[in-house]
């Protein structure tokens, strides 16, 4: 399917995508905003042939939904920060990780590490290949000589454990670090 | 403290569909989440239908997706323990390690091995150093031995033994003082790199070990089946006897340290990996182009993601931001 086809299909699928967004918890206004973004992106990007076009549009819509929610969350926090720091301007928000967030991150890491350590070895390795190495289930299944549904069972077990651990997501953490040059910190 | 509100599973609608239990819904939500990652049209449409059927479905899915995204920044730092290359344990001799590796795959044998390793933990003088994506760190083991960790790298050192290091995952450049009586030993998974007075670079990622030597000489897996590498040589070890020795330009060894990445026919998946480590984001190459060779030098200009966008024509890819990082797709065609 070529670029035009994708935009046309988007037009046809739009009501279904809007329903999807609302089902995911967006308001109808938000859903419209998100779909508008998706539409603009489809028009702007030179997108080549797509094999599973509807899946592509759904997953793109879902990504935009997540980004939208993330921006909204950040905006709310920035307003809260603004009150907290008592007059600090937007551009001056301290982006360095506080001792507290560092401690939380370390604690979260310890929880995740324990969850993974407690998994059966095979589930843990399959989870790594799927989630960290990004390998498709089919390839993992072929290489291990087991069925795709067996791979899925291992993954489900890993995700059950992770979801049950209720890790909290501090979403600013992941994009706070930038490469600013070499840190010559010596440790012994 | 900044915590994003997550949609918890509501208790209120417990009676709406009494036959479908909360546990059941969560199990379904997890299944969907796993299938959707590489999902086709039919999977997405069936998912949309399931989601709209009951508000508890959406809540359960939200919780699973949020949990999965919560671990994203933590994943570079976790240690995935495998019986064959658990590194927190006292190092058995290499021969035994290979023996262990040979057993992985037989589930019973593997779990026995895992149990042995878990219960033989010594009172440890070992400590871990981990870097975030984009971060660099220099660890000085003695006055003339220095290890530079690239981003998204995890290593183990030993307070009592400055001649030991273990590269759990990621990439590091080693400048090592030579001492024939007490050689520097680096463990990389089940493998050992032993120096003979050296500057060398090691990458441990995706089940693969890559070593490149800039100065001096190293011995890979000393003992039977040892491989010696001189300056200007490197090797790629994919395990299962798939080991190849190659020539490497000396200037390219550890060139990431000075902000340039040099490639001669390297698979795009590796370029994506290394760019990600340097820039500080997760970057993956779509499977269809993961093995496509790339030759050239990338000089990092410190502009991070901006540079990634500018580089994409040179790499003949398009880059796209996804919630879990960046993906490189073939220019002019798109995979969902």
């Amino acid at each position: 399917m070529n670029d035009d086809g994708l935009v046309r299909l988007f037009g046809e699928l739009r009501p279904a995508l809007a329903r999807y967004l609302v089902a995911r918890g967006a308001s109808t206004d938000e859903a419209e905003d998100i779909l508008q973004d998706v539409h603009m992106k489809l028009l702007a990007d030179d997108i080549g042939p797509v094999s599973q076009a509807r899946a592509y549009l759904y997953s793109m819509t879902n990504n935009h939904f997540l980004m939208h929610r993330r921006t909204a969350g950040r905006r709310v926090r920035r307003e809260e920060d603004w009150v907290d720091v008592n007059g600090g301007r937007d551009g001056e928000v301290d982006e360095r990780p506080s001792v507290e967030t560092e401690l939380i991150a370390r604690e979260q890491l310890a929880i995740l590490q324990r969850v993974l350590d407690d998994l059966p070895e095979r589930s843990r390795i399959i989870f790594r290949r799927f989630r960290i190495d990004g390998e498709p289930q089919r390839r993992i299944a072929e290489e291990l000589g087991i069925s795709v549904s067996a791979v899925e069972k291992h993954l489900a077990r890993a995700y059950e454990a992770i979801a049950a651990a209720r890790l909290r997501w501090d979403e600013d953490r992941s994009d706070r670090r930038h490469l600013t040059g070499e840190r010559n910190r010596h440790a012994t | 403290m900044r915590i994003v509100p997550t949609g918890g599973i509501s208790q209120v609608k417990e009676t709406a569909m009494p036959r479908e239990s909360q546990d059941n819904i969560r199990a379904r939500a997890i299944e969907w989440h796993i299938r959707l990652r590489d999902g086709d049209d039919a999977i997405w449409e069936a998912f949309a239908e399931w989601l709209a059927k009951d508000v508890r479905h959406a809540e359960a899915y939200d919780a699973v997706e949020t949990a999965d995204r919560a671990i994203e920044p933590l994943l570079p730092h976790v240690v995935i323990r495998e019986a064959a290359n658990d590194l927190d344990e006292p190092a058995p001799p290499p021969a035994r390690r290979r023996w262990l590796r040979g057993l992985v795959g037989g589930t019973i044998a593997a779990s026995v091995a895992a149990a042995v390793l878990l219960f033989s933990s010594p009172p440890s003088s070992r400590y871990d150093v981990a870097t975030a994506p984009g971060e660099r760190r220099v660890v000085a083991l003695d006055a003339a031995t220095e290890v530079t960790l690239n981003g998204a790298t995890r290593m183990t050192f030993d307070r009592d033994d400055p001649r030991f290091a273990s590269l759990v995952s990621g990439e590091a450049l080693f400048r090592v003082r030579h001492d024939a009586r007490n050689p520097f030993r680096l463990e990389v998974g089940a493998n050992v790199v032993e120096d003979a007075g050296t500057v060398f670079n090691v990458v441990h990622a995706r089940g693969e070990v890559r070593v490149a030597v800039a100065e001096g000489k190293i011995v890979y897996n000393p003992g039977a089946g040892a491989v010696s590498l001189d300056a200007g040589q490197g090797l790629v070890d994919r395990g299962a006897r798939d080991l190849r020795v190659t020539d490497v330009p000396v200037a390219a060894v550890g060139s990431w340290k000075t902000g340039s990445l040099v490639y001669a026919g390297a698979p795009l998946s590796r370029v994506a990996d290394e760019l990600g480590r340097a820039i500080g984001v997760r970057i993956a190459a779509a499977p269809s182009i993961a093995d496509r060779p790339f030759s050239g030098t990338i000089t990092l200009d410190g502009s991070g993601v901006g540079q990634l966008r500018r580089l994409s024509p040179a790499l003949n890819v398009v880059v796209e931001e996804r919630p879990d990082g960046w993906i490189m797709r073939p220019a002019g065609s798109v995979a969902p």
Side-chain angles (χ1 to χ4, degrees):
Chain A
M1 175 167 300
N2 63 22
D3 212 351
D4 279 2
L6 200 58
V7 173
R8 199 159 48 236
L9 180 68
F10 175 72
E12 288 165 22
L13 212 56
R14 198 165 172 143
L17 293 171
R19 279 196 300 279
Y20 171 75
L21 287 169
V22 170
R24 290 244 34 202
S27 70
T28 45
D29 284 355
E30 282 169 335
E32 265 321 296
D33 286 352
I34 292 164
L35 290 174
Q36 193 54 32
D37 286 352
V38 172
H39 192 198
M40 298 305 283
K41 194 158 190 320
L42 284 173
L43 292 173
D45 285 7
D46 183 21
I47 301 172
V50 175
S51 57
Q52 296 285 326
R54 294 196 303 275
Y56 182 80
L57 291 175
Y58 268 107
S59 115
M60 191 169 166
T61 302
N62 194 60
N63 287 348
H64 277 264
F65 167 71
L66 294 175
M67 280 189 259
H68 186 88
R69 197 167 60 178
R70 182 174 171 163
T71 320
R74 199 179 285 155
R75 199 178 304 127
V76 168
R77 281 200 313 276
R78 195 166 288 150
E79 277 153 22
E80 286 167 359
D81 284 350
W82 193 87
V83 175
D84 284 352
V85 291
N86 190 22
R89 280 190 305 276
D90 211 54
E92 291 183 356
V93 172
D94 187 354
E95 291 291 321
R96 282 172 305 176
S98 69
V99 174
E100 193 187 6
T101 49
E102 281 293 318
L103 281 175
I104 291 168
R106 208 163 298 163
E107 179 192 291
Q108 302 286 295
L109 179 61
I111 294 170
L112 179 61
Q113 185 70 60
R114 199 157 52 234
V115 166
L116 294 175
D117 286 349
D118 286 348
L119 287 173
E121 165 145 4
R122 195 151 239 227
S123 304
R124 179 164 59 236
I125 288 166
I126 289 172
F127 176 76
R128 186 205 71 210
R129 295 182 66 162
F130 179 79
R131 183 65 179 83
I132 301 180
D133 300 345
E135 290 183 45
Q137 282 190 67
R138 197 178 306 270
R139 193 191 330 162
I140 300 172
E142 275 164 15
E143 287 182 14
L144 296 181
I146 58 178
S147 67
V148 171
S149 73
V151 168
E152 192 171 279
K153 283 206 187 79
H154 283 286
L155 289 173
R157 185 182 295 174
Y159 274 112
E160 283 283 359
I162 288 164
R166 295 183 180 280
L167 290 147
R168 290 163 300 184
W169 185 30
D170 179 4
E171 60 180 358
D172 270 350
R173 227 182 71 80
S174 56
D175 48 14
R176 200 186 278 124
R177 288 186 200 273
H178 300 283
L179 179 57
T180 51
E182 191 148 326
R183 295 188 182 189
N184 274 308
R185 284 213 305 251
H186 291 258
T188 44
Chain B
M1 187 160 99
R2 295 164 167 184
I3 304 297
V4 177
T6 64
I9 293 173
S10 152
Q11 302 296 313
V12 184
K13 300 163 206 75
E14 199 79 51
T15 52
M17 291 180 95
R19 271 170 302 173
E20 196 179 16
S21 74
Q22 279 313 346
D23 283 354
N24 219 321
I25 293 176
R26 180 151 96 170
R28 292 289 291 151
I30 285 172
E31 253 172 56
W32 281 119
H33 185 65
I34 293 165
R35 286 179 192 170
L36 283 174
R37 200 195 68 186
D38 305 308
D40 60 12
D41 288 353
I43 287 176
W44 272 99
E45 291 190 325
F47 171 65
E49 205 174 294
W50 177 79
L51 200 68
K53 211 177 275 172
D54 185 333
V55 72
R56 292 179 304 166
H57 293 177
E59 285 165 352
Y61 183 75
D62 205 64
V64 171
E65 188 183 54
T66 304
D68 195 23
R69 300 187 74 203
I71 63 171
E72 181 68 31
L74 304 173
L75 286 176
H77 305 290
V78 296
V79 180
I80 303 294
R81 287 178 217 285
E82 297 178 31
N85 68 354
D86 192 309
L87 297 163
D88 289 337
E89 315 306 333
R96 180 152 171 264
R97 293 218 145 209
R98 233 157 307 174
W99 175 78
L100 287 178
R101 184 167 57 172
L103 289 178
V104 175
T107 316
I108 297 168
S111 58
V112 169
V116 169
L117 291 168
L118 286 173
F119 291 117
S120 60
S121 218
S124 191
S125 53
R126 302 255 166 117
Y127 62 100
D128 280 10
V129 177
T131 53
E135 187 188 6
R136 301 271 177 76
R137 219 170 144 177
V138 179
V139 175
L141 295 175
D142 63 36
T145 301
E146 182 180 280
V147 182
T148 308
L149 283 72
N150 201 349
T153 294
R154 187 180 192 89
M155 292 195 65
T156 303
F157 299 100
D158 192 329
R159 280 188 195 82
D160 295 342
D161 182 4
R163 304 300 280 171
F164 164 86
S166 162
L167 178 61
V168 180
S169 63
E171 175 167 29
L173 181 68
F174 300 82
R175 181 176 297 277
V176 173
R177 169 181 60 84
H178 182 51
D179 178 351
R181 280 166 307 171
N182 185 14
F184 180 80
R185 282 171 68 86
L186 170 72
E187 291 182 11
V188 191
N191 305 291
V192 173
V193 176
E194 201 173 272
D195 93 285
T198 313
V199 178
F200 60 101
N201 191 72
V202 182
V203 179
H204 184 203
R206 292 169 199 271
E208 188 178 285
V209 177
R210 294 195 303 275
V211 183
V213 182
E215 273 177 45
K217 185 180 168 140
I218 62 120
V219 180
Y220 186 72
N221 289 334
V227 179
S228 297
L229 296 178
D230 293 315
Q233 286 191 308
L235 67 78
V236 180
D237 182 0
R238 297 204 169 87
R241 296 168 178 272
D242 179 3
L243 187 151
R244 279 174 303 137
V245 175
T246 56
D247 290 338
V248 291
V250 168
V253 178
S255 58
W256 52 267
K257 197 182 167 190
T258 51
S260 54
L261 306 171
V262 183
Y263 299 105
L268 210 52
S269 56
R270 191 164 107 208
V271 179
D273 247 26
E274 294 181 359
L275 264 176
R277 269 201 287 275
I279 292 175
V281 294
R282 181 179 280 262
I283 308 175
S288 62
I289 52 170
D291 294 328
R292 199 167 78 186
F294 171 75
S295 299
T297 300
I298 297 170
T299 304
L300 298 164
D301 62 10
S303 69
V305 166
Q307 183 174 21
L308 179 61
R309 285 190 188 284
R310 286 193 301 282
L311 276 172
S312 53
L315 295 168
N316 195 23
V317 298
V318 290
V319 293
E320 184 186 304
E321 188 173 15
R322 301 260 177 104
D324 56 352
W326 290 77
I327 182 141
M328 289 182 180
R329 292 187 281 98
S333 74
V334 165

